Every structure is written in structure tokens, then in C-alpha cells.
Amino acid sequence: MFSSRMTGNQSSLVCAQLEELQELAFIERPIRRSLKTAEEIDQLTVDEDLNDIERAVYLLSVGQEVQRASVISNLPSLVRQNPAETFRRVVPKVREVLNGAGAEIQLVAAASFLTILQDDIILIHTHTYSILKIVLAHLNHRDAVVSSAWLETLLSAINTLPKETIKQEVLNPLLHQSPLSHSLQARLANCHILGNVSCKFDSHIVKKELLPLARSLCQDPEFEVRACMCRQLENIARATRVDDTRMELLPELVELAGDEESSVRLAAFDTIINLMELIDSDDRLHVVVPLVMSVCEVSSQADEAVLASLSFQFGKLCSGLAGSLSDEQKGRLLQRFKVLCVAGLQTEGNQPDVNETTLIRCNCCYNLPTMVSFADPAHFLSELYPSFSSLCCDPEVSVRRSAAASFHQVVKLLGSNVSLVHKELLVLLQDDALEVLDALMNHLVETLEAVLSRGENLTLDNKVPELLSALLLAEQKVGCSLRWRLHEKLLQRYSCLARLLPGELLHQSFSPRIFIILTTNKVLPVQKEAARTFCTFLRYNRKQEQRQEMMERLIQDLAQGRSYWNRLRFLDVCETANEIFSKKYFNKHFLIPALELVHDPVANVRYKLCQLMPRLHSSLRLPADKQLLQQLDFCVQKLLCTEKDKDVVATIRKTVLELDKLDLTEPFHKRHEKDLLDQKKEKEETLLLEMEQLERQQSEGKLNSEKHAERKRRDSKANLSATKSMSVSSSGTVVSSSGKEMRRAKLSRSRSLSSQPTTSKPANSDRTQKVKELSSSSGPGKPSMSQGKDNSLRTAHFTMATQSTSSMPVLIRSNTTSLLDRTSSAEHRSSSIDQRDHRTSTIDHRNNMMDQRTSNGDHRDHRASTMDHRDHRSSTMDHRDHRSSTIDQRDHRASTLDHRTSTMDQRDHRTSTLDHRTSTMDQRDHRTSTLDHRTSTMDQRDHRTSTLDQRSKSIDQRSSGVKDSQSRKLSINRKSNSFSIQSGRE
């Protein structure tokens, strides 16, 4: 049993193998039959010594049909190489082949002759004439496709032939034969010929010879001929005069607009719309407008083909009749357009053709900008916004793509009302179909310029962040797909955001994403476009910190990156930066990191650097960049000496030759243009830096003004408490200093009265010490120094007077009682003089305080004046110093100034307050307003100064009298002492 089973299995396997072999044999059978025999191979073999012309003639003569078709298709290249020999030997052979050839060779020949005519290869009209003969011979081919191909070639030949040839060879056969004698295909060809020939002749010939034939064709029994001739009437009308068009062609078009066939009516309708600029206002109002209204009413019951044609011409129709329509008629046309925008979406009863209704809505998207202008952009929200929103959210991708293609024109027309379509822009950016994004990216720059150029406070607008997020989502969606060309286009369009948005906003949102694309995307064109966009963001960023951060990221992650791929990308960034930035900026930030890659361990990086060397060298500006040139030469020498990779060595040698020829091969005007462009870029970068500094100063000014207001409030509170403490302390110091001076004066008087005759000099020294103490008790500053000098001069004067009195001769009188009496009276006078000295010291102390206050007031006035007159500080200081020195010369003041000290105390309080305020230079504006008041105060002070000068003179006279009394007292003391000594001796 087991063996029988085995044999059954083996037999089944054998049968299966036989079937497979039979199938293989059946497959190989037609292959063997299709192989060429030796005879056929000999027929297909051509002598290699023949040139192109001889080979073409040989193949056209004895070759097979495939070889002949190949020679005819290669005919344009033969004409380019040798036109004379081709038209003399090859073209006659082609004419012979076409006489009995099939449709395939006929189509190839028509295409070849059309290529020859369109490429302007022929320079002699005789060659065109030879082609014309061949075309006319095969124009009426029985095959419609072949006839259409030869007709297209004929129409192209008409544009290059002279008038006489056209009239003799083309027009005369048409004019001398009855149109009805030709076939339908021939009459259709005659319609096209009439339309193209009319532009070659003047209006008289057109009216006399061509217009009658055109009228007869408009009355042809076949509607295809009537429709074709109706569309060619536009060319005939443009070749004739305006009056002829009005009198001859317009009635014919109106008649054809009422034809029983819809295609004829639409042809007439389209022709009238295209000729709208040639029709005067009266004909528009009385002829065209009623015709249009009737067609719009009839089209509501017509089929989708009529609606598609009407929807395509609707925008041109409305714009042409805008000046001839009433408000009611405009409303009817707008209403009709709204119906067309939703054609096929609101189905009732019969299901319409989806393709036709989709085409109608696409045509409405095409006419949207014209209809917005027709309805007035101010009424867009009420008239066309629902239709526009419906088209942007249409369920068909083709309709949304058409809406995206015309979106930029609608945005431009809306102007300031562009925010109305913000929602639709977000919808199109977030569309799932990449075709919609592709159509929107074509004119995204114009769209974003219209949307974002609405003011400076863009960051406060809630719609801008939504737009940026939508742009980022669109980029991510495209980046995840395989359509890298669309991704490249999108990144190229995004570079315009650097001119439209603040750099800080781009730095936060777009720059990180662009940098990620630059470092992670594997498509080279996308990487290069990302590098260009990143460099554009870097160039137009006004924040120095952000620019520095972006440059550091480029150097750390790319130039110094661990992956050689990132280092290669940095060289691509350098190549782009050399085009975007100025030479100065490029050399400062990009050149050194690029040259450091000469030590890179990967040969591909060094190879890329060698290719970039000429551009790096062209960015140098001598002699300013002499050190950079030395570094570049060092890199070249290092590569020449130490490089081991053969590709890098070959490239660096080629680069050295290019560097040697770089300055010699480039013309002077090109270098001059590059220099001007570089200067322009450098000026723009400098302007951006100045704008950044100005913005920073404005922001700092705002902060300083806020701080100034707070500091002013604090200072006003602190000045009140400081003034009170200063007034109390100043009164205490004055009282204590006056008490000390009184005690010192009494002690000196007691010593002078009880001392021996030899104590005159110590008395004078005590007086000098008292004067020094008075001078030391005065306030600090420049007035105190001048006052100390005056006090020292005063002390020297007293010392000289004492020395002069001590050197006088002593006179001894006999009347001692009179001397004693005089001595007592002198003592009494000395006590009164001491009291006067005490008063004088008190007055001096008060004068010192007044001088100090006056000097403080002068210093305050000096500060106030320097705020407005900084250029005249030195002269003002000299003048004030002279004034202060004049005031300091007031040595002694009378007792009548006591009642003025209270006023000076108040002035001192004001002076301390103003001194504290002048510590901050931010209060310039407030101080300037008080200068006039201070000037008037200075005038009063000058008046007081003159009064004080007069009083100081009277005090000087009194002091001189006091000095005389003192000298007398001293002489009396010496006389009394000498008398007592002599009496003791006696």
C-alpha cells in the first residue's frame, strides 16, 4: 500500500513538471517567431561610412517603414546641421514617401515640419514654400486627426510666409471655390484659415474679400461650422475698423446669439465679451446688456456645459459692463454669481454631473477677484463673503486649490478689511491636501505682506499667533511627506517673515524649527533653503543678544559638531551667508570657523572647504583683512603639504589655480557692481544696528523716567527731614562757636593786663591765634580758603603794626598823674575795644556763614546754568569765582546785619534742599523752569552785595580806628611800664 502511494505521488509530480514545460514552450514560441532572419538583418544594416544626409536618403529610398519614420522624425536635426543639403536631397524624398504613407508617418511628418517652423530654423522663404506645398497637399486627408495635424502646421507656416505667397497659395483656392463643395472637415479648416490670415492684410482687403466668405460660413447648415466661424470673428473684427465691426459684425453676432444650438449661442456670447472694448457705450447699453440678461436667465435652465462656459466668462462680462449697468442689474448679476458658487452642492431632484459642477465652482474661484472689484470691496462682507467662505471650504480639492490660487488677489483688493478673510487663510493653511498648500505657496509672500502690514503692534493682536502656529503646522505637514520640492518652496516663502515680523517673535517660534530642519533633514535642496532662511532671520534680527545666540548655535552645533554631516552643512551655510551678508560681517563671524575645518579628520569636509576657498578669498578686503588672508594662505599651504586624500589634493590644486586667476579673469565692471552691492548691504546692517540702539535707548528712557518719578517722591520726603535736622545743627554750632570765642577773648585780655612789659608779643600772637581759629571755624570749600588768606593778611597787618609801635622811642613826662589818668581811660577804652573786637568777631563769623551760604548758592546757580550752557562752564566758573572772591573780601560787617540772618537761614534751608536735588542729573527739565526765578534772585543778591560792600568800607574805617586805639593803648602801657621801672630804680 505504501509503495502504491509513493508511485501515485511521483506520477503527479511528473505530470506537473510536464505541464510547466509545455507552458514554457508556449511562451517561447512567439519569441522565436519574432526574431529576424539573416536576410532581414542585412536589409536593416547600413554602411557606417555614409554621412547623415546620405544615410537619410538611403533609408527613405530602400528602408522599411520604421526606418523611414525614424528619418522623418530626425528631420529637424538634419535641418539644423545642413539646411541646404537637407532641403535639396532629403525633403523631396520625404514628399515621395508621404504620397502613399499611412497615418503614423503622416503624423510624424506633420510634427517634424511644425517643429521646423516653430523653432525658426529656416532662414530662406523658399524652404518654407517647399514645406507649404507638402502641407497643402495633405491638408484634406480623410483621417480627421491627420487633417488637424496638417492644419496646425499650416497655421504656423502662415505666420512666417509673406503676404503674396499666402494670397496666392492659400487664399485664392478658398475664394474661388464654393464653401459647400468642400467636406465638413475642409470647411472647418477654412474657418481657422480665415481667422489667422486676416491679421496679415489691411482692413480694406479684409472687408472686401474675407468678410463675405466669413458671413457665408456663419450661415452654414452645420452648427459645428457656425460655432467655429463665430469664434474666428474676433480676429476678423480686430483686423477691421471699429465702424465696420459695429455695422457688419455685431448684427451677425447678435443673430448667432439667438441660434437654436447652445454651442453656437455660447460661441457668440464669448465673442461679444472678448470684443467688449471695441463696442461703444450705446451699443453696450442697448444691445449687449439685454443680451447678457437674457443669457443669464436662460442659463438657469440650461445644461452644465452652458453654465461652465458662462461661469468662466462671468468676471470679464461684469467688468466690461460695470459702467453700463444699473444697481438692479448689478444685483441680479451678483445673485447669479452666488448661485454659480454653490452649483452642485444643493442638489434637488436629478443628480447633476459632478465634473461639470466642480468645473463651474473652479471657474467661480478664478473670477473671485474680478467680482470683488465689481461688487466694491467695502460691500464684501455682505455680498460675497458667504460665497468666498463656501469656496474655501468646498468638499472638492480642485475647488479649494483654485480658491487658494486666487487668495492673494482677494487679499490685495480688501486692503484694510483683510481681517475678514483671516479664518479662511487659516483653513487653507491647515488643509489636508498638499495640492491646496502648493497653490497657496505660489503667492504666499504677497498674501503675508497684505495680512501682516497692518501696524506695529502685531504682538498684541491675537490673530498673529494663530497665523504663526498655522504656518508651523503647514511646514510640519509638508515635512512629513515625500514632496521635498513643496517643502523647499515653503521654506523659501517663509524667509519673507524676517521683513514682516519682529525678530524676537521669529527667534522664539520659527528659528528653532528652521534650525532643526537644517540639522535633521536629509534632502540637500531642503537643507540649503533652510540655511538661507535661517541666515535671513539672522540678518534682519535687531537684538544683539539673539544674533549672538544664533551664531553660537551655528558654530557649536554645526561647525564644531560631532557629525561630519553637520560640519558639511556649516559650509553650506557659509556659502549662503556669503551671498546674504556683507563682507565685513561674513569675515567677522563665519570665516574663521570655516578655516578651522582645514584640520577636520573627514576628507569630505576638507574637500568641501577646498571648493569654497575661492568664495572665501573673494570676501576679503585688503589691506583691512590682511591677517585673514594670511590665515587663508596658511590653510592652502597646509592642504598642499600634508593632504593625503587624492580627491582633496586634486581639488586644492585646482583651487590654487583659480585663486591665482581670480583677480585677473573678473572684469572691472563686475567687481565694481559687487563692491556697490556690498556697500549697500553694509549700510543696511549699520542701519539695523542703529535702529537697535535707538530702540534700546527708548526703552531705557522709559525705565529711567519711571525710576526718576519714584526717586523724586523719595527725595521729596527725605529733604523735609534733612532740612529740619540741618537747621537745628547749624544753630547749635553757631552758638557754641560764639561762646568759645568770647571766653578766649576774655582770657587774652586778662593776660595782657596782668602780664609784664615783655608780654606784648605773646598778646599779638594770641590775637593771631584767635584770628586763625576764627578762620578755621569757617566752612570748607573755595570761599573758606580765600577767607583764610584774608585772615592771614589781616594778622600780618596787626603784627606789623605792633612791631612798629614797639620800635617807637619812649618819651618820659614829669606829670605822672596825668599819665595814670590816661592809663585808666585807656584801659576803659581797651575794654570797649575788646567788646568791639568781640562784636567784630561775631560779625566775621556771621560773614563767614553768609559767605558759605552765598558760595553754596553760587554753586547751585552754577549747576543750574550748566544744564543749559555746558559749553560755557569755564567762563561761568571764573565769573562765579570772581564774584565769590569779591564777596569774601567783606571783612567786617556792621551790627545792622543781625536782622538779616534769619533771612539767610531760610535761604540756607532752600540751598540745602536744592543741593540735594542737583545730585541727580535726571531733573534737568524741572530745574530749567526755575532758572528764571533764580536769575531774579541773583539780581537781588547783587544789589545786596553792593550794599554790603558799602557797609564793609564803613567797617574797615571803624577797624582802622580800633587799630589806632589799640596802638595807643600799647604805647601807653609801655610808657607806664617804663615809668614804673624808672620810679623803682629811683
Side-chain angles (χ1 to χ4, degrees):
M1 179 184 286
F2 185 75
S3 62
S4 64
R5 289 180 181 176
M6 291 292 295
T7 35
N9 293 331
Q10 291 177 356
S11 61
S12 63
L13 290 173
V14 171
C15 293
Q17 292 177 356
L18 291 174
E19 291 177 356
E20 290 178 358
L21 291 174
Q22 290 176 0
E23 291 178 358
L24 290 174
F26 180 77
I27 293 172
E28 290 179 355
R29 190 175 302 135
I31 297 175
R32 290 177 180 176
R33 289 179 180 178
S34 63
L35 294 177
K36 302 296 183 182
T37 61
E39 297 177 356
E40 293 175 344
I41 292 174
D42 292 338
Q43 293 178 359
L44 297 173
T45 303
V46 181
D47 189 4
E48 295 181 356
D49 295 334
L50 299 177
N51 57 24
D52 295 337
I53 301 296
E54 293 176 351
R55 186 183 299 109
V57 172
Y58 174 78
L59 292 176
L60 288 173
S61 301
V62 298
Q64 297 183 1
E65 187 176 358
V66 177
Q67 294 174 321
R68 293 176 180 178
S70 176
V71 171
I72 295 173
S73 63
N74 196 37
L75 193 61
S77 61
L78 294 176
V79 173
R80 292 188 186 95
Q81 294 175 3
N82 194 351
E85 290 295 322
T86 301
F87 278 96
R88 188 176 67 85
R89 298 180 60 184
V90 179
V91 173
K93 288 292 182 180
V94 172
R95 186 185 300 113
E96 293 177 1
V97 171
L98 290 175
N99 288 330
E104 184 179 356
I105 293 182
Q106 294 277 347
L107 293 174
V108 171
S112 297
F113 287 126
L114 179 63
T115 303
I116 293 172
L117 293 172
Q118 289 179 349
D119 292 348
D120 295 333
I121 303 174
I122 302 175
L123 300 178
I124 304 174
H125 291 296
T126 55
H127 296 164
T128 307
Y129 181 75
S130 61
I131 293 176
L132 180 62
K133 286 291 186 181
I134 298 174
V135 172
L136 292 175
H138 300 85
L139 183 61
N140 296 323
H141 197 276
R142 59 181 178 274
D143 192 349
V145 177
V146 176
S147 178
S148 299
W150 285 114
L151 176 63
E152 186 179 0
T153 306
L154 175 62
L155 297 179
S156 179
I158 289 173
N159 296 327
T160 59
L161 290 172
K163 293 180 182 181
E164 294 76 9
T165 304
I166 294 173
K167 187 175 181 179
Q168 182 179 358
E169 300 293 336
V170 179
L171 274 183
N172 289 336
L174 294 179
L175 297 176
H176 292 87
Q177 293 179 4
S178 174
L180 296 177
S181 62
H182 294 83
S183 62
L184 175 62
Q185 192 67 32
R187 296 201 300 274
L188 292 175
N190 293 339
C191 294
H192 289 287
I193 292 172
L194 284 177
N196 283 268
V197 167
S198 61
C199 62
K200 302 288 290 187
F201 300 96
D202 55 5
S203 59
H204 177 70
I205 296 176
V206 172
K207 181 180 177 181
K208 183 179 179 181
E209 298 183 2
L210 301 183
L211 194 55
L213 181 59
R215 282 180 177 178
S216 64
L217 291 173
C218 287
Q219 303 299 326
D220 194 273
E222 299 294 335
F223 70 93
E224 294 93 342
V225 179
R226 296 198 302 271
C228 182
M229 192 64 243
C230 186
R231 295 188 181 278
Q232 296 299 324
L233 288 179
E234 179 183 355
N235 295 329
I236 297 174
R238 296 185 183 279
T240 59
R241 295 178 298 179
V242 178
D243 295 336
D244 296 334
T245 302
R246 180 185 179 187
M247 300 298 296
E248 301 292 339
L249 294 179
L250 187 57
E252 195 71 29
L253 289 172
V254 173
E255 183 180 356
L256 290 173
D259 196 273
E260 65 275 5
E261 292 292 334
S262 60
S263 60
V264 180
R265 292 198 304 269
L266 283 177
F269 188 70
D270 293 341
T271 304
I272 291 173
I273 293 173
N274 294 332
L275 294 175
M276 194 71 69
E277 67 272 12
L278 300 178
I279 303 174
D280 57 5
S281 58
D282 294 336
D283 291 334
R284 290 181 187 179
L285 182 60
H286 297 94
V287 178
V288 181
V289 172
L291 177 63
V292 169
M293 292 301 169
S294 63
V295 170
C296 290
E297 292 176 357
V298 173
S299 63
S300 60
Q301 292 85 22
D303 56 356
E304 285 76 9
V306 178
L307 291 176
S309 180
L310 177 64
S311 62
F312 181 76
Q313 296 284 350
F314 208 88
K316 188 183 291 186
L317 171 67
C318 293
S319 63
L321 296 177
S324 304
L325 295 173
S326 62
D327 294 338
E328 181 183 0
Q329 291 171 342
K330 285 185 178 180
R332 290 168 61 185
L333 288 177
L334 286 174
Q335 188 63 32
R336 187 58 191 162
F337 181 76
K338 295 176 185 178
V339 173
L340 292 175
C341 290
V342 294
L345 299 178
Q346 300 175 355
T347 58
E348 295 179 359
N350 297 328
Q351 293 292 333
D353 189 1
V354 177
N355 295 329
E356 292 293 336
T357 54
T358 302
L359 180 60
I360 291 171
R361 297 199 299 275
C362 290
N363 291 335
C364 290
C365 293
Y366 170 75
N367 289 311
L368 262 176
T370 307
M371 296 308 298
V372 171
S373 179
F374 176 73
D376 192 358
H379 301 150
F380 173 78
L381 184 61
S382 60
E383 296 291 343
L384 292 175
Y385 176 74
S387 301
F388 178 76
S389 179
S390 175
L391 292 173
C392 291
C393 302
D394 196 271
E396 295 293 333
V397 177
S398 59
V399 179
R400 299 198 302 273
R401 183 179 66 242
S402 300
S406 61
F407 193 90
H408 67 287
Q409 297 179 354
V410 176
V411 166
K412 289 180 181 179
L413 291 172
L414 291 178
S416 60
N417 297 325
V418 70
S419 59
L420 297 175
V421 296
H422 180 77
K423 178 182 177 182
E424 284 68 30
L425 178 60
L426 297 180
V427 169
L428 294 176
L429 285 172
Q430 297 173 359
D431 199 290
D432 295 332
L434 296 180
E435 293 83 358
V436 178
L437 285 175
D438 194 1
L440 190 64
M441 289 302 130
N442 292 329
H443 301 280
L444 184 66
V445 177
E446 294 89 338
T447 303
L448 293 178
E449 286 178 352
V451 171
L452 296 177
S453 60
R454 291 177 293 158
E456 298 179 356
N457 298 324
L458 293 174
T459 56
L460 302 178
D461 192 355
N462 294 327
K463 296 181 179 180
V464 173
E466 295 178 357
L467 178 61
L468 295 182
S469 62
L471 291 172
L472 287 173
L473 288 175
E475 186 277 326
Q476 293 177 2
K477 187 183 301 180
V478 175
C480 294
S481 66
L482 299 178
R483 300 186 61 177
W484 61 267
R485 290 182 178 85
L486 178 58
H487 198 186
E488 180 186 8
K489 184 193 297 185
L490 185 141
L491 292 176
Q492 183 182 2
R493 301 298 188 270
Y494 280 6
S495 62
C496 71
L497 295 174
R499 298 182 287 105
L500 302 175
L501 291 177
E504 184 176 1
L505 189 60
L506 290 176
H507 183 73
Q508 295 174 357
S509 58
F510 273 87
S511 295
R513 179 59 188 169
I514 300 299
F515 192 81
I516 290 174
I517 298 170
L518 179 61
T519 54
T520 60
N521 197 284
K522 301 303 180 182
V523 182
L524 186 59
V526 176
Q527 288 179 353
K528 290 186 176 181
E529 199 59 45
R532 181 175 296 276
T533 304
F534 191 83
C535 291
T536 305
F537 288 171
L538 176 61
R539 185 177 187 271
Y540 287 98
N541 195 329
R542 299 182 186 177
K543 300 292 183 180
Q544 181 66 28
E545 297 82 5
Q546 296 176 0
R547 289 199 301 269
Q548 188 66 27
E549 180 182 351
M550 295 171 73
M551 280 302 308
E552 290 177 355
R553 194 170 183 184
L554 279 175
I555 293 174
Q556 292 177 1
D557 295 350
L558 294 183
Q560 300 174 359
R562 297 180 61 184
S563 174
Y564 84 97
W565 187 265
N566 291 336
R567 298 195 293 273
L568 285 174
R569 296 293 75 75
F570 179 76
L571 294 177
D572 291 335
V573 171
C574 291
E575 187 176 356
T576 304
N578 192 15
E579 301 175 0
I580 295 177
F581 294 98
S582 64
K583 294 180 179 179
K584 181 178 179 181
Y585 190 91
F586 178 82
N587 296 336
K588 183 178 179 181
H589 296 90
F590 290 93
L591 185 59
I592 299 299
L595 293 178
E596 289 177 353
L597 294 177
V598 72
H599 307 288
D600 197 279
V602 180
N604 291 344
V605 179
R606 301 193 301 273
Y607 181 81
K608 180 70 174 179
L609 179 62
C610 294
Q611 292 178 341
L612 197 61
M613 282 290 184
R615 288 199 175 190
L616 298 180
H617 185 274
S618 63
S619 65
L620 299 177
R621 297 186 301 181
L622 298 177
D625 298 331
K626 186 177 180 180
Q627 295 181 354
L628 296 176
L629 180 61
Q630 293 177 356
Q631 294 183 11
L632 191 143
D633 293 339
F634 173 76
C635 294
V636 173
Q637 293 176 3
K638 177 178 173 55
L639 290 172
L640 288 173
C641 298
T642 62
E643 185 57 48
K644 297 180 180 179
D645 189 86
K646 59 180 182 179
D647 295 330
V648 179
V649 171
T651 306
I652 192 61
R653 290 177 180 175
K654 183 178 179 182
T655 302
V656 170
L657 296 177
E658 292 181 3
L659 291 175
D660 294 338
K661 298 178 181 179
L662 188 63
D663 298 331
L664 300 176
T665 57
E666 189 174 13
F668 174 77
H669 66 278
K670 289 186 177 181
R671 283 184 290 172
H672 184 63
E673 290 177 358
K674 290 182 179 179
D675 293 339
L676 293 178
L677 182 61
D678 183 69
Q679 292 177 4
K680 183 179 179 181
K681 293 178 181 178
E682 189 172 349
K683 288 181 180 179
E684 291 178 356
E685 293 169 357
T686 307
L687 181 61
L688 289 174
L689 292 176
E690 293 177 356
M691 292 173 65
E692 176 191 1
Q693 294 177 359
L694 182 61
E695 291 176 356
R696 185 176 298 176
Q697 291 177 359
Q698 290 178 355
S699 61
E700 291 177 356
K702 292 180 181 179
L703 294 175
N704 291 332
S705 62
E706 295 176 357
K707 292 180 180 179
H708 170 65
E710 294 179 359
R711 191 178 298 170
K712 185 177 179 181
R713 296 191 193 97
R714 296 176 183 175
D715 293 344
S716 61
K717 294 179 181 179
N719 287 334
L720 295 176
S721 60
T723 305
K724 294 179 180 179
S725 61
M726 290 176 65
S727 61
V728 173
S729 61
S730 61
S731 62
T733 54
V734 171
V735 173
S736 61
S737 61
S738 62
K740 290 179 181 180
E741 294 299 331
M742 289 177 67
R743 287 194 297 272
R744 290 178 181 177
K746 290 180 181 180
L747 181 61
S748 63
R749 284 198 300 271
S750 63
R751 287 179 179 176
S752 64
L753 291 174
S754 60
S755 62
Q756 297 298 324
T758 58
T759 60
S760 60
K761 291 183 178 180
N764 293 331
S765 64
D766 292 337
R767 181 65 55 84
T768 305
Q769 182 180 3
K770 182 173 70 175
V771 173
K772 290 180 179 179
E773 289 176 354
L774 289 173
S775 63
S776 64
S777 64
S778 62
K782 192 174 182 180
S784 63
M785 295 174 63
S786 62
Q787 190 173 3
K789 292 180 181 180
D790 295 337
N791 291 334
S792 63
L793 292 173
R794 209 177 298 130
T795 305
H797 175 69
F798 289 154
T799 306
M800 291 297 293
T802 305
Q803 291 177 359
S804 63
T805 55
S806 62
S807 63
M808 291 175 65
V810 179
L811 298 177
I812 302 174
R813 295 182 182 180
S814 60
N815 195 356
T816 58
T817 56
S818 62
L819 288 173
L820 292 173
D821 294 334
R822 290 178 181 177
T823 301
S824 61
S825 63
E827 289 175 355
H828 180 69
R829 289 178 180 177
S830 64
S831 62
S832 62
I833 289 170
D834 292 335
Q835 292 178 359
R836 289 182 181 179
D837 290 335
H838 174 65
R839 290 179 180 178
T840 304
S841 64
T842 304
I843 292 171
D844 292 335
H845 180 68
R846 290 178 179 175
N847 289 334
N848 291 331
M849 296 297 296
M850 290 177 65
D851 293 337
Q852 183 180 359
R853 293 167 186 168
T854 306
S855 63
N856 290 331
D858 294 336
H859 186 61
R860 179 192 64 212
D861 296 336
H862 172 66
R863 289 180 180 177
S865 62
T866 51
M867 289 184 291
D868 296 330
H869 307 283
R870 292 182 179 178
D871 297 335
H872 305 283
R873 289 183 178 176
S874 59
S875 62
T876 307
M877 286 295 295
D878 296 336
H879 181 67
R880 296 289 171 85
D881 292 339
H882 177 70
R883 185 177 295 174
S884 62
S885 63
T886 305
I887 296 173
D888 292 335
Q889 292 175 3
R890 303 166 190 164
D891 298 327
H892 307 284
R893 289 180 170 81
S895 61
T896 57
L897 296 174
D898 294 337
H899 67 280
R900 298 181 183 270
T901 56
S902 61
T903 306
M904 295 301 296
D905 291 335
Q906 295 177 359
R907 186 180 299 165
D908 188 20
H909 170 66
R910 295 175 184 173
T911 305
S912 62
T913 305
L914 291 173
D915 290 335
H916 185 72
R917 290 179 181 177
T918 53
S919 62
T920 58
M921 293 303 294
D922 298 328
Q923 299 178 0
R924 297 177 182 175
D925 298 333
H926 178 69
R927 291 177 181 173
T928 306
S929 62
T930 59
L931 286 177
D932 297 334
H933 179 67
R934 292 179 182 174
T935 306
S936 61
T937 306
M938 284 300 300
D939 295 335
Q940 295 177 1
R941 188 177 298 162
D942 293 337
H943 178 67
R944 291 176 184 175
T945 304
S946 61
T947 306
L948 291 175
D949 291 337
Q950 294 178 359
R951 291 176 182 175
S952 63
K953 291 180 182 179
S954 61
I955 292 171
D956 291 337
Q957 293 176 0
R958 291 179 183 177
S959 63
S960 62
V962 170
K963 291 177 184 178
D964 294 336
S965 63
Q966 288 178 357
S967 62
R968 290 175 184 175
K969 178 181 176 181
L970 292 173
S971 62
I972 291 169
N973 289 332
R974 291 191 185 96
K975 288 178 182 181
S976 61
N977 291 330
S978 62
F979 180 73
S980 61
I981 292 170
Q982 289 177 1
S983 61
R985 289 177 180 177
E986 289 176 355

